[in-house]
């Protein structure tokens, strides 16, 4: 029997189960509910050892950050991945949540289908998905999909997944890997291609990507940024342009894929 992702949700309301939980269950996850209470959630984590935990940032008795820190201190071995949910956000709050151990920060209301896909991606990146859960046509899988690799890099750099620029960046990087010469025609080819996919305009794509990079520079880890962009983050140079950002990430991944092959 295939191992399923064990998902523990700190919300046992009928509304949550109806609006969100059903989607998680239909995607094949073993879904377990508990009260929206930090101490109760911590007890369940210790006894059930889930693969993934979905919890609100603000809960009675112990908030989401407190639960993550207590889990890190109390549990030995593999720790669960945390998806933290909040009704509002700010760059400072996001940074604190992610630095406290969250794998993903979701802003409510959110798409259950999108979050289910993101959880599957995170589990694949972390090695929590069973090997035989891969898509049949992709077997045997030795490397995560290109989309997952790009997703992981954007997560490491600090680009928030809930802003439009995140999705535009991800698609732009994938396009630049698959069609390298498109990076030489960012304005004429890349932005319009992404805009067409999302039914928006090229200028909005350009602005959203620029905003995503600015957010990453405000909240990202300097050491990680430096490992990817080197001299471009020096004070005299500032953050990279959109095209520099896309080119550097796509070149790095293309080289990795070439080496792996």
């Amino acid at each position: 029997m295939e191992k399923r992702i064990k998902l523990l949700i700190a919300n046992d309301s009928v509304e949550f189960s109806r609006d969100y939980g059903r989607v998680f269950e239909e995607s094949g996850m073993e879904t377990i509910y508990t009260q929206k209470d930090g101490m109760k959630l911590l007890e369940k984590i210790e006894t059930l050892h889930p693969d993934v935990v979905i919890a609100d940032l603000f809960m009675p008795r112990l908030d989401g950050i407190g639960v993550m820190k207590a889990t890190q201190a109390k549990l030995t071995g593999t720790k669960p991945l945390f998806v933290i949910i909040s009704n509002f956000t700010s760059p400072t709050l996001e940074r604190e949540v992610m630095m406290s151990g969250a794998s993903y920060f979701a802003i409510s209301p959110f798409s259950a289908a999108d979050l289910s896909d993101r959880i599957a991606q995170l589990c694949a990146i972390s090695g929590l998905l069973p090997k035989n859960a891969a898509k049949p046509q992709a077997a045997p899988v030795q490397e995560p999909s290109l989309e997952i690799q790009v997703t992981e890099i954007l997560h490491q750099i600090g680009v928030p997944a809930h802003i439009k620029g995140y999705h535009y960046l991800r698609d732009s990087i994938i396009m630049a890997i698959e069609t390298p010469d498109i990076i030489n025609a960012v304005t004429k080819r890349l932005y319009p291609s992404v805009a067409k996919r999302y039914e928006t305009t090229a200028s909005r794509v350009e602005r959203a990507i620029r905003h995503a990079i600015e957010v990453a520079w405000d909240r990202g880890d300097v050491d990680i940024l430096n490992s990817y962009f080197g001299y471009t983050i020096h004070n005299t140079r500032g953050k990279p342009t959109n095209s520099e950002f896309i080119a550097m990430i796509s070149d790095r991944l293309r080289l990795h894929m070439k080496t792996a092959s």
Side-chain angles (χ1 to χ4, degrees):
M1 181 179 294
E2 293 184 353
K3 178 184 181 299
R4 301 161 66 192
I5 296 172
K6 185 184 290 186
L7 177 65
L8 176 60
I9 301 174
N11 192 328
D12 59 357
S13 69
V14 174
E15 293 79 8
F16 191 96
S17 176
R18 180 193 63 213
D19 298 337
Y20 299 106
R22 176 179 52 81
V23 177
F24 300 137
E25 292 164 9
E26 290 176 352
S27 68
M29 299 181 190
E30 179 186 349
T31 307
I32 306 166
Y33 297 92
T34 188
Q35 294 174 257
K36 190 189 293 186
D37 178 297
M39 295 303 295
K40 291 285 187 183
L41 174 59
L42 188 57
E43 291 175 6
K44 289 289 186 179
I45 291 172
E46 292 181 58
T47 57
L48 298 177
H49 299 283
D51 297 315
V52 183
V53 175
I54 296 180
D56 277 58
L57 176 58
F58 301 106
M59 296 181 289
R61 297 208 289 172
L62 191 64
D63 64 14
I65 291 176
V67 171
M68 289 189 289
K69 290 182 177 179
T71 299
Q72 291 291 332
K74 289 187 174 185
L75 263 63
T76 58
T78 304
K79 311 292 195 301
L81 302 179
F82 280 92
V83 174
I84 299 298
I85 299 172
S86 176
N87 290 322
F88 69 95
T89 186
S90 70
T92 301
L93 182 60
E94 285 185 26
R95 181 176 178 81
E96 184 178 1
V97 170
M98 300 305 290
M99 292 295 287
S100 297
S103 295
Y104 190 69
F105 189 35
I107 308 302
S108 184
F110 53 85
S111 165
D114 288 347
L115 186 56
S116 177
D117 289 343
R118 187 57 43 80
I119 290 172
Q121 290 175 347
L122 292 170
C123 288
I125 292 168
S126 302
L128 292 175
L129 275 179
K131 294 179 180 179
N132 57 1
K135 294 181 180 179
Q137 65 269 28
V141 177
Q142 297 182 355
E143 284 285 328
S145 72
L146 179 58
E147 183 176 355
I148 289 175
Q149 292 183 67
V150 174
T151 297
E152 171 66 4
I153 288 177
L154 292 179
H155 174 71
Q156 290 176 351
I157 290 171
V159 181
H162 68 276
I163 62 177
K164 290 182 179 179
Y166 170 91
H167 302 284
Y168 299 162
L169 260 178
R170 183 175 61 188
D171 284 13
S172 296
I173 292 168
I174 292 173
M175 286 183 188
I177 293 172
E178 296 174 342
T179 313
D181 64 340
I182 202 171
I183 200 65
N184 299 317
V186 171
T187 304
K188 292 184 178 180
R189 292 176 58 195
L190 184 59
Y191 293 156
S193 297
V194 176
K196 183 177 181 180
R197 182 173 298 181
Y198 289 92
E199 298 183 348
T200 185
T201 65
S203 61
R204 287 177 179 171
V205 169
E206 188 275 333
R207 286 196 300 270
I209 289 178
R210 187 180 343 122
H211 171 66
I213 294 172
E214 289 172 352
V215 172
W217 245 248
D218 288 338
R219 59 169 275 184
D221 184 288
V222 174
D223 291 334
I224 292 177
L225 292 171
N226 188 53
S227 71
Y228 280 102
F229 301 99
Y231 75 93
T232 61
I233 69 168
H234 290 177
N235 293 332
T236 56
R237 183 72 192 277
K239 64 183 181 299
T241 63
N242 289 7
S243 57
E244 285 176 331
F245 187 101
I246 294 167
M248 288 179 180
I249 299 300
S250 60
D251 286 346
R252 183 175 178 134
L253 269 174
R254 194 183 301 112
L255 179 62
H256 171 76
M257 292 164 62
K258 185 177 180 180
T259 303
S261 63

